Amino acid sequence: MTDHDPVLDPALMRKQYRAEGLDETELADGPVEQFARWFRQAAQAALQGAVYEPNAMVVSTADAEGRPSSRTVLLKQYDERGFVFYTNYESRKARDLAENAYVSLLFPWHALARQVVVSGVARRTGRDETAAYFRTRPHGSQLGAWASAQSAVVASRAELDAAYAALAARYPEGEQVPVPPNWGGFRVEPQAVEFWQGRENRLHDRLRYVAAPGGGWRVERLSP
C-alpha cells in the first residue's frame, strides 16, 4: 500500500460494537426458531433502510480437491428441514456441491452487528418444489434463468443481451415460461448454526447450536 491516508488504511478501520449481548437463557429451543427471530428483526431493519437485502447470504462451497469458492445468493425459504436457495445446476457452486455436499452459509447483518453461520449438507430440492418457486419469479427473472449459462465464459455482454432478447420474443410477458431443466434448488440441512453478536472490545457473543446424534441440539459458547 503506497497511500498512507488513514481513512483508506484497512488496519486503522475500527468499529466499536455496543450492541446488547446474547445470553444462553435468551435462545430459542432450536436454531431455526432462533434464526426466525433474528431474521424478523433484520427484515424490520431493512424496512428502515438499515439492512440491505436481509435474505442475502454468502454461500461457500469447495470442490473435490478442497478448493473453496464463495458468492452471495438470496435465501428463498427456510423451515425445520433447512435453508433453500436456487441456482443453475451447471454453475460452479452446483458442480462443487455435486462433488462435496458440505456447505457454509453466512448472513452478514453488519448494521445489527450480527452474523449467522450455517454449516450443513446441501441436497437438491424436488422438481415440483422447484417449479412452484419458479412460477413466483418475475417474468424477466424467469427468462434470465434460461439466458444465462451461469459460471460459463461468455464472449460479451452483447451476446448475453441477445440471448435474453430472443427469449423475450419467444415468451412475451404473460406467456408461461417453462422451468429450465438444469435449474433448481438446494436445501441446506443444518448440522451447526452459530449466532454471532458483536460486543465491545471484540469480546463478541458466539453461541452455536450443534446437532446431537440422537436428535435435538446442544448449545456451545465459543470464545470470540
Side-chain angles (χ1 to χ4, degrees), residues 187-206:
R187 174 173 283 104
V188 178
E189 179 183 349
Q191 296 178 333
V193 184
E194 177 185 334
F195 293 84
W196 183 102
Q197 176 67 71
R199 300 292 301 276
E200 284 186 295
N201 302 317
R202 297 300 186 261
L203 295 177
H204 313 305
D205 286 323
R206 298 176 60 189

Side-chain angles (χ1 to χ4, degrees), residues 33-159:
E33 182 183 350
Q34 181 63 35
F35 178 83
R37 293 178 183 177
W38 273 24
F39 185 75
R40 184 179 303 108
Q41 293 171 6
Q44 291 170 345
L47 294 176
Q48 300 168 359
V51 173
Y52 182 72
E53 290 193 312
N55 62 325
M57 58 186 183
V58 178
V59 177
S60 297
T61 58
D63 63 18
E65 297 180 11
R67 293 172 297 194
S69 61
S70 300
R71 73 291 291 163
T72 301
V73 176
L74 297 179
L75 174 73
K76 288 302 177 182
Q77 181 187 351
Y78 70 92
D79 55 28
E80 294 296 334
R81 297 174 298 165
F83 300 80
V84 179
F85 66 91
Y86 291 85
T87 188
N88 187 309
Y89 284 145
E90 296 174 2
S91 65
R92 180 175 180 178
K93 70 178 88 58
R95 294 197 306 269
D96 281 357
L97 292 173
E99 299 175 347
N100 179 356
Y102 291 100
V103 61
S104 174
L105 312 177
L106 166 65
F107 294 86
W109 297 323
H110 301 301
L112 303 178
R114 286 178 174 176
Q115 301 179 71
V116 179
V117 182
V118 179
S119 302
V121 175
R123 297 181 176 86
R124 290 189 181 190
T125 59
R127 291 310 292 174
D128 288 346
E129 185 175 356
T130 291
Y133 168 70
F134 188 79
R135 298 286 171 242
T136 69
R137 288 166 63 95
H139 181 74
S141 296
Q142 293 181 9
L143 297 179
W146 278 99
S148 172
Q150 195 173 60
S151 298
V153 175
V154 62
S156 65
R157 176 72 198 198
E159 180 179 307

